[in-house]
Amino acid sequence: MSESSAALLQSRSSSARELIAFAVGKQEFCIDVMAVREIRGWTPATVLPHSQSYVRGVINLRGAVLPIMDLAVRLGFPPAEAMGRHVIIVVQVGSQVVGLLVDAVSDILTVTASEILPPPDVASDMAKHFVCGLLAMEGRMLSILSVDSVLPEREGTEVQ
Amino acid sequence: MAGNEMDSLRQIFFQECEEQLAELESGLLEIEGGGEDPEIVNAVFRAVHSIKGGAGAFALDELVRFAHVFETVLDEVRKGRLDPAGAVVEVLLRSADVLADLVRVARDGGSVDAERIRTGTEELASLSGTPVATGDLAEEDSVEDLGFTPVAVAFPTFDDIAAELPTEPEPTVFEYTVTFKPHASLYASANEPAVLLRELGRLGEMTVSCDTSSVPALSEIDPEGSYLAWMIELKTTQSEDDVRAVFEFVDGDCDLTITANNGAAPPVEDADFEALLRSIREAPVDVAAAADEPAIAEAVIADVSVTAPEFPVAVPDFAAKPDSAKSESKPDKAEKGDKSASGEAAQQTIRVDLDRVDRLMNLVGELVINQAMLSQRLGEAGLARSAEFATGLDEFEQLTRDIQEGVMAIRAQPVKSVFQRMPRLVREVAAATHKKVRLVTEGEGTEVDKTVIERLADPLTHMIRNAIDHGLEKPEDRIAAGKREEGLVKLSASHRSGRIVIDIADDGAGINRPRVRAIAEEKGLIPANAQLTDDEVDNLIFLPGFSTASTISDISGRGVGMDVVKRSIQALGGRVSITSRPGHGSTFTLSLPLTLAVLYGMVVTVADQTLVVPLTSIIETLKPKPGDIHGFGGEARVIALRNNFIPLVDVGRELGYRNHSTDPGAGVALLVESDGGAQSALLVDGIQGQRQVVIKSLEANYGRVPGIAAATILGDGRVALIVDVDAVVAGSRNGGNPESVLALAG
C-alpha cells in the first residue's frame, strides 16, 4: 500500500501532466491544462471580414478583444451549431490569447508520459498537423492537441 | 548591476539635459524679446551650468568644454558686463543649438561638425574676451592646465570664481574663530568635513588646525566613530551668518562655535591648500580602515599624528571676490533649492513609467464600457426608471467620465514641447533662404495626448518650412509690396469643441492660384479647363506629387509634399484645411483629436453587423434616390451628387458580409473623403447613431484584418469593428483586396 503510493508520488512528480479533456463532434480531445486561462460559456461573436473559415469572430473578454476558433472546422469536422451549451476554452500561447469553441468540457486527467501513445500514421491532415499523442482511457480514445498548431498563423490571417 | 545603475543615471542626466536645454532656449528667446528680469538670465546660466556639471560626471569632455565657454559668456551677461542685445543673443541662441547637438551626440553617438563647434567657441570667446582679453585667456589656460574635468566634478564653480579675480576692491575684513567637531552622524549621512572646510575657504583666508587629542588607542577605536575636531581662523568679508551657512547642511550633526574677533591679523603665509584638503580627507578614512587592518594600524596612527597638526593656509584668490564667492560657492543642492523657490510656478512633478499610465488608461476604457453595459442592462430590465437606480446610475456615469478625463489628463502634455523646437527650425530655414523671419507662438499651454504631440512634430516641421520657403517672400519683394522686411510666421494652438486646433499662419504672398493650377494641369492632376473654386485650387497642394518649388531646395521639396502632411494628420484622426488671401498670406489649420485612445464614430449597420465609421472621415450622409445611382461598367456604380459623379462603395460586399450588391435605395450613403482627398460614398444599411468609442487592438490576439482599422466594445458588450475607410475605398478600386492604408500611413 505504502509502496505503491510512494511509486505513484514519484511518477507524479517526474512526468505527470494534467490535461483538460473536451468533446468536439463525436470525438474526444485534450490539451495541456497549463495553456488554459479560463473556460466560459458561448456568447455570439462579431464576424471578422476576410477571415479563415474556422475563425468564428471576436468576442469581448472583459474589455479585451478575443478571437474565437471553431475547433470543429479547424479539425476538419462540419461547423458547430454554436449555442448556449457550447463552451469556449480560453488559451494563451506566448502573448496571444485565443478562445477555442468546443462542444463540452468533460474532465481533467492526470497522465504520465508512459501512458501517451504516439499518433498513428494516418492520411488525415488533422492527425499530421494538430495531434501530438493519443491516450487510451477506459475504452475511450483521446487525441492530445498541440495548442500552438491549432492557433491561426498570425501572418496568414488574410485569405486570398 | 553597477553598469545598469550607471545607465539609468545617464538616462536621467539626458532627460534633465532636455529640460535644461528647453529652459535655456525659452530663456534666451525671452531675453531676445526684451525680457529684462535678472531671474531669466540666472535660469539660463543655471541650465548651462547644470549640463556642464552633469557632463563632467560622465566625462563628456567635448560637451564640458563647450558648456564651459558658453557659461563664461553667460556669466558676463549675468554680471551685467555684457549686454544681451541683438547680435549677442543671436550668438547665444546659436550656441544653444550647438550645445543641444553636443548633448544629442553624447547620448546617441555620431559626431558634431567640428567646424561648428570651433566657430561657436570662437564666437563665444570673442564675446567674453572683450573686457580683459589677455588676462582672461591666461586665466582660461591656467584653469585648463589644472585639469578641467576633475574641477567640474569636485568644485563645480571653482573656475568661475577664479575667472573673475582681478576686478573688485577689498571691503572690510572680519575675523572669526570657528571650532568644528563633527559627530559620527555627520559621516553617517555622507557629509565630508573636507568639503565643508573647502567651502569655508572660499569665504576668505583661513588657517586650519586639526585637534587629534581625542583619538583613542587603536584597540578602542570605533571604525564609524568621529574623533577629530578642527579649529579654523577665518578672515573674510562675509557676515557671521554667511560663515554659519556653510555648515547649514550638517546642523545638528556637529558641535560648531563661531566667534568673531575684532582687529585684523597679519596675513597668513601661503601654504599648500591641496595638501591640507588631501590630509583632511584621508585622516578619518584611514582611522576607519585601521580597524580592519591591524598590521598597518600603528603606522596609520603615526600618520594621523604627523599630518594632523597645524595647517596654516592662505586662500587669497578667493578672498578677492566676495560677491562672487557668495553667489557662486553655494553647493549644487542649494542652487536647486533656490531654483524651485524662485520659479514663479513651483510645480511638483514626478516621472512615471508610460506603461503604467497606459495600463490605467486601458482599465478606465474597460470601466467606461462596463458602465455603459450596466446602464443598458438596467434599462432593459426596466429598473433604470426607478428613481434610486436612476440617480445612482447618473452619479456612476459622472464619476466614470471624471476618472476618464483625469487619466487622459495624465497623458496630456502642453504642446509647448513641440512648439519649442520650432524657433531653432525657423532660424535655420531663415538663414538658408536668406529671409528674415519672426516666429510668434501662442497657446503653448494647450494640452493634448502625448502620442499626438510626438506625431505632430514632423508635420509641423514640414509646414513651417513650407511657410518660410514658399509662403514668405524675399525681403526685397516684401519691401516692394509695402510690408515689413521681416516676415511673420505665427504658430498657435487652442482647444475647440473637444479637439485641438493648430494654426500655422504666415503674412507672405498667399497661394499663387494661377501657378498652382498650371502645375496641377501640367502634372496631370486635374483635367485642363476644370472648373475649380479658389478653395479647390488651394487644396490642390495636398495632392500627391504636387510640389510648387521649381527647384528642389534643401528646405522643402524633398519629394515629400503637403500630401504627406495631410496623410500623417489623417492617420491621427485629424484634418488639415487652408485659407489663403493673395498678398496677405496663408493659414493652415490642423484639427486633431485630444487623444488616440478614443474616437468619435458613426455606428452603422451593414448586413446585420454593427460597424463604426470614424466621424473624421465623414463629410455628410445622404439618402440616395434610385435615380441618382448609375451603373459604371461591370459592377461599379456611381452616385450623382451636385453635378458630380462619386463612386459608390458597398461596404457589406467589400468586407465580404454578402456576395450580392444591395439596393442602394434601401440604404444610407456616407460621403467620405479618403486618401488623397478623393470622395467616395459608402453604402450602409442604416445609421444607429454617433458615439465616442474606446479603441481596442485586434492585432494583439489576432492580426491585421483587411478593411478594418481596430475594434471597439459597444454598450451591449459586443465587439464592433471600426472601418478603415481608406482601405475599404482603396479595396473597391482594386477590385476587392483592400490593403490597410491607415496602418501603412501610421
Side-chain angles (χ1 to χ4, degrees):
Chain A
M1 176 71 191
S2 64
E3 256 174 60
S4 68
S5 68
L8 188 74
L9 219 95
Q10 198 181 2
S11 74
R12 186 182 278 263
S13 60
S14 61
S15 59
R17 282 175 70 187
E18 282 193 312
L19 300 169
I20 190 160
F22 52 87
V24 176
K26 291 193 169 64
Q27 297 189 19
E28 281 192 282
F29 297 88
C30 48
I31 54 173
D32 200 305
V33 83
M34 296 309 286
V36 178
R37 288 234 327 226
E38 63 179 282
I39 296 170
R40 50 170 296 142
W42 163 255
T43 45
T46 301
V47 179
L48 288 175
H50 307 288
S51 59
Q52 300 276 8
S53 56
Y54 57 80
V55 178
R56 264 299 167 107
V58 284
I59 63 164
N60 165 22
L61 180 73
R62 289 185 303 279
V65 176
L66 182 77
I68 305 296
M69 309 290 123
D70 187 337
L71 258 197
V73 178
R74 185 65 164 155
L75 299 175
F77 304 127
E81 280 292 322
M83 56 180 89
R85 64 179 175 81
H86 280 75
V87 169
I88 291 167
I89 303 176
V90 181
V91 295
Q92 178 163 20
V93 177
S95 65
Q96 198 179 2
V97 183
V98 172
L100 304 176
L101 178 68
V102 302
D103 289 359
V105 171
S106 47
D107 52 340
I108 292 177
L109 313 166
T110 307
V111 297
T112 58
S114 59
E115 290 175 80
I116 298 173
L117 308 169
D121 193 8
V122 291
S124 131
D125 275 352
M126 175 193 105
K128 274 189 221 144
H129 281 113
F130 310 125
V131 179
C132 60
L134 289 180
L135 211 57
M137 284 232 150
E138 300 149 17
R140 292 147 59 197
M141 187 195 76
L142 295 98
S143 309
I144 303 172
L145 295 178
S146 103
V147 180
D148 309 30
S149 62
V150 174
L151 300 191
E153 299 102 65
R154 305 194 72 178
E155 295 308 307
T157 49
E158 290 158 51
V159 190
Q160 202 64 281
Chain B
M1 218 59 294
N4 281 345
E5 227 162 73
M6 201 60 185
D7 274 355
S8 78
L9 281 178
R10 230 178 119 87
Q11 210 180 337
I12 291 172
F13 165 64
F14 284 118
Q15 275 174 5
E16 282 174 356
C17 274
E18 287 298 319
E19 287 164 20
Q20 306 286 8
L21 286 170
E23 194 162 323
L24 170 64
E25 173 141 11
S26 64
L28 287 176
L29 287 172
E30 244 176 280
I31 295 171
E32 188 186 28
E36 285 180 355
D37 184 353
E39 189 43 45
I40 301 173
V41 182
N42 284 337
V44 165
F45 176 83
R46 270 197 304 265
V48 177
H49 182 70
S50 306
I51 292 175
K52 187 184 95 174
F58 290 99
L60 304 167
D61 295 340
E62 206 173 17
L63 183 55
V64 170
R65 263 196 297 279
F66 188 79
H68 174 68
V69 181
F70 196 0
E71 184 190 57
T72 313
V73 176
L74 287 173
D75 198 39
E76 293 288 316
V77 175
R78 196 166 64 141
K79 295 280 148 45
R81 275 184 244 145
L82 190 64
D83 182 21
V88 173
V89 77
E90 268 174 40
V91 171
L92 294 179
L93 278 165
R94 267 200 297 279
S95 305
D97 295 346
V98 175
L99 190 69
D101 286 346
L102 282 167
V103 167
R104 209 158 296 132
V105 165
R107 182 183 57 201
D108 305 332
S111 66
V112 181
D113 186 3
E115 183 61 23
R116 267 189 76 196
I117 301 174
R118 209 177 51 79
T119 343
T121 315
E122 275 170 16
E123 274 185 325
L124 285 170
S126 69
L127 288 181
S128 64
T130 32
V132 263
T134 48
D136 246 26
L137 275 175
E139 209 70 63
E140 203 61 52
D141 285 345
S142 70
V143 168
E144 295 286 341
D145 287 346
L146 280 175
F148 179 69
T149 314
V151 171
V153 179
F155 316 70
T157 53
F158 178 83
D159 45 276
D160 299 317
I161 304 153
E164 343 170 79
L165 306 175
T167 36
E168 300 205 359
E170 223 164 327
T172 346
V173 175
F174 302 103
E175 212 170 279
Y176 300 101
T177 305
V178 182
T179 60
F180 169 53
K181 182 175 185 342
H183 299 165
S185 60
L186 181 139
Y187 297 108
S189 52
N191 281 301
E192 161 82 82
V195 175
L196 295 167
L197 294 177
R198 190 160 57 215
E199 286 301 325
L200 203 58
R202 291 184 184 177
L203 298 181
E205 295 177 40
M206 70 172 184
T207 314
V208 183
S209 55
C210 182
D211 173 13
T212 55
S213 58
S214 48
V215 176
L218 182 60
S219 56
E220 286 158 29
I221 273 186
D222 171 6
E224 294 186 350
S226 167
Y227 304 107
L228 299 176
W230 286 270
M231 195 160 91
I232 304 109
E233 299 285 346
L234 179 69
K235 276 198 283 178
T236 176
T237 53
Q238 306 293 316
S239 70
E240 189 179 328
D241 282 348
D242 291 322
V243 176
R244 200 171 286 280
V246 170
F247 297 94
E248 188 182 344
F249 291 105
V250 293
D251 190 26
D253 288 333
C254 61
D255 296 327
L256 181 70
T257 57
I258 298 174
T259 43
N261 319 328
N262 281 332
V268 187
E269 291 306 308
D270 53 335
D272 188 353
F273 184 48
E274 279 301 317
L276 165 77
L277 290 176
R278 238 187 339 269
S279 64
I280 293 172
R281 209 175 299 143
E282 279 160 10
V285 175
D286 284 350
V287 169
D292 297 324
E293 300 268 357
I296 59 157
E298 260 170 35
V300 170
I301 292 295
D303 192 31
V304 168
S305 60
V306 170
T307 55
E310 290 216 326
F311 285 97
V313 183
V315 221
D317 282 359
F318 300 117
K321 189 65 185 13
D323 267 352
S324 83
K326 187 179 176 185
S327 57
E328 301 268 2
S329 65
K330 283 179 193 164
D332 261 1
K333 243 192 272 176
E335 199 160 295
K336 285 223 173 96
D338 243 5
K339 182 176 162 184
S340 59
S342 59
E344 326 78 52
Q347 272 182 322
Q348 296 243 323
T349 56
I350 52 166
R351 288 178 211 277
V352 181
D353 198 347
L354 205 54
D355 284 351
R356 291 194 199 178
V357 178
D358 286 348
R359 202 179 121 68
L360 192 59
M361 194 87 174
N362 281 338
L363 286 172
V364 170
E366 283 166 37
L367 181 67
V368 171
I369 292 162
N370 257 300
Q371 176 264 324
M373 275 166 64
L374 184 63
S375 30
Q376 189 161 336
R377 296 274 154 80
L378 284 175
E380 282 163 11
L383 290 171
R385 257 164 294 164
S386 121
E388 287 160 50
F389 282 112
T391 352
L393 268 182
D394 281 353
E395 275 170 21
F396 183 32
E397 195 182 332
Q398 185 64 43
L399 276 175
T400 315
R401 205 176 299 141
D402 287 354
I403 293 174
Q404 193 182 20
E405 275 171 20
V407 173
M408 282 182 185
I410 297 177
R411 279 194 60 104
Q413 286 189 332
V415 288
K416 194 173 176 198
S417 55
V418 177
F419 278 22
Q420 257 174 353
R421 299 187 213 170
M422 298 306 155
R424 172 176 183 182
L425 175 81
V426 169
R427 282 198 297 282
E428 286 175 353
V429 178
T433 55
H434 309 291
K435 289 176 181 173
K436 290 198 169 173
V437 186
R438 188 158 61 94
L439 177 75
V440 175
T441 53
E442 260 177 27
E444 290 157 314
T446 314
E447 291 193 330
V448 66
D449 190 275
K450 188 173 160 58
T451 330
V452 177
I453 290 189
E454 281 161 5
R455 289 164 66 177
L456 206 54
D458 282 347
L460 269 189
T461 306
H462 205 85
M463 291 173 89
I464 288 196
R465 272 193 188 135
N466 262 326
I468 300 172
D469 198 21
H470 303 313
L472 295 179
E473 313 93 324
K474 293 195 182 70
E476 54 271 25
D477 294 347
R478 288 185 65 89
I479 293 167
K483 294 184 189 176
R484 288 183 52 175
E485 186 189 4
E486 188 182 54
L488 179 75
V489 174
K490 195 168 146 189
L491 183 61
S492 55
S494 59
H495 280 148
R496 211 176 291 160
S497 58
R499 293 170 77 81
I500 181 169
V501 177
I502 296 175
D503 286 330
I504 301 107
D506 65 68
D507 68 345
I511 287 179
N512 185 342
R513 293 193 179 116
R515 192 142 164 268
V516 165
R517 232 198 117 100
I519 290 171
E521 277 176 30
E522 186 193 312
K523 300 201 169 168
L525 301 170
I526 50 164
N529 307 323
Q531 292 290 319
L532 295 176
T533 62
D534 284 354
D535 234 25
E536 283 168 327
V537 175
D538 291 349
N539 278 295
L540 289 176
I541 64 164
F542 291 116
L543 289 182
F546 184 94
S547 179
T548 47
S550 38
T551 55
I552 294 194
S553 67
D554 228 9
I555 314 305
S556 42
R558 285 186 296 190
V560 289
M562 293 303 287
D563 63 311
V564 177
V565 169
K566 187 165 188 177
R567 279 269 289 279
S568 44
I569 296 297
Q570 277 177 337
L572 286 171
R575 288 175 164 280
V576 192
S577 61
I578 176 170
T579 52
S580 180
R581 277 175 66 205
H584 289 86
S586 321
T587 302
F588 289 85
T589 305
L590 310 180
S591 155
L592 293 153
L594 292 179
T595 167
L596 298 183
V598 296
L599 166 142
Y600 285 93
M602 186 172 282
V603 184
V604 299
T605 313
V606 176
D608 297 328
Q609 297 288 326
T610 302
L611 294 173
V612 177
V613 183
L615 220 49
T616 45
S617 318
I618 302 177
I619 301 167
E620 63 179 277
T621 60
L622 49 128
K623 187 98 183 128
K625 291 188 220 67
D628 293 341
I629 312 290
H630 304 276
F632 187 68
E635 295 200 356
R637 287 178 295 177
V638 292
I639 182 168
L641 179 72
R642 293 188 284 273
N643 299 329
N644 220 336
F645 291 103
I646 291 165
L648 188 68
V649 181
D650 187 332
V651 178
R653 230 184 131 202
E654 209 45 58
L655 294 179
Y657 289 147
R658 54 185 162 222
N659 293 321
H660 55 90
S661 300
T662 40
D663 170 20
V668 180
L670 312 177
L671 188 64
V672 295
E673 190 184 59
S674 61
D675 191 19
Q679 292 188 346
S680 312
L682 298 184
L683 186 64
V684 300
D685 296 354
I687 294 175
Q688 296 180 18
Q690 289 180 10
R691 57 167 298 178
Q692 191 184 20
V693 297
V694 179
I695 299 172
K696 296 278 174 185
S697 160
L698 268 175
E699 280 157 50
N701 290 328
Y702 184 70
R704 212 150 58 75
V705 181
I708 299 300
T712 187
I713 295 166
L714 293 180
D716 60 2
R718 288 197 56 177
V719 178
L721 302 175
I722 301 172
V723 177
D724 183 343
V725 172
D726 284 350
V728 167
V729 171
S732 75
R733 269 192 226 130
N734 305 340
N737 187 15
E739 260 302 307
S740 177
V741 187
L742 194 72
L744 289 176

